[in-house]
Amino acid sequence: QVQLVESGGGLVQPGGSLRLSCAASINIFSLYYMAWYRQAPGKQRELVAAMRSGGTTNYADSVKGRFTMSRDGATNTLLLQMNSLKPEDTAVYSCSVEVAQSDGEGDTEYYEYWGQGTQVTVSA
């Protein structure tokens, strides 16, 4: 079982910055897929940023140029640096990872894990 614990959320003024962390109980370089999602009240969960095992990243159009996803192998932590924050960025942010494992018969099985989320509030 992979445990994920998010931290770094809080209240920030528009234009400010926050760095979210997702501590994983696994070597993050062994992960097939890593992502940050967010969900605001009454809204669908939205993919914010994703990273493949090789480090390739993708971002939602709404956060491109403002958010940066990275990983710290020394601490097995996924990071989301959020700059130029806007009120519409307010949401619960969660990290998600996917582990690929062989079933021993030539097939690959994927297991997805989620953190509990951390609240980000952008308000003056």
Side-chain angles (χ1 to χ4, degrees):
Q1 185 80 8
V2 176
Q3 304 292 325
L4 303 174
V5 181
E6 300 97 336
S7 62
L11 175 64
V12 65
Q13 294 183 332
S17 299
L18 284 174
R19 188 183 74 168
L20 304 184
S21 298
C22 174
S25 62
I26 190 174
N27 180 358
I28 61 173
F29 286 96
S30 70
L31 298 172
Y32 170 76
Y33 177 84
M34 298 145 276
W36 286 95
Y37 290 81
R38 68 185 181 187
Q39 186 169 28
K43 302 291 185 179
Q44 292 182 284
R45 186 163 57 197
E46 173 189 24
L47 176 64
V48 176
M51 179 183 291
R52 299 291 177 181
S53 60
T56 301
T57 54
N58 297 101
Y59 299 93
D61 288 341
S62 59
V63 307
K64 284 182 179 178
R66 300 189 296 118
F67 291 11
T68 302
M69 184 178 181
S70 61
R71 54 187 172 179
D72 183 346
T75 58
N76 288 325
T77 301
L78 305 177
L79 303 170
L80 183 67
Q81 179 66 45
M82 307 187 296
N83 299 324
S84 301
L85 284 163
K86 305 174 181 179
E88 51 263 44
D89 294 320
T90 296
V92 174
Y93 286 72
S94 302
C95 61
S96 178
V97 303
E98 195 167 293
V99 180
Q101 296 183 0
S102 172
D103 64 359
E105 299 180 347
D107 296 318
T108 300
E109 297 180 347
Y110 299 90
Y111 300 87
E112 187 177 36
Y113 301 91
W114 289 84
Q116 294 178 310
T118 184
Q119 176 71 47
V120 171
T121 302
V122 185
S123 176

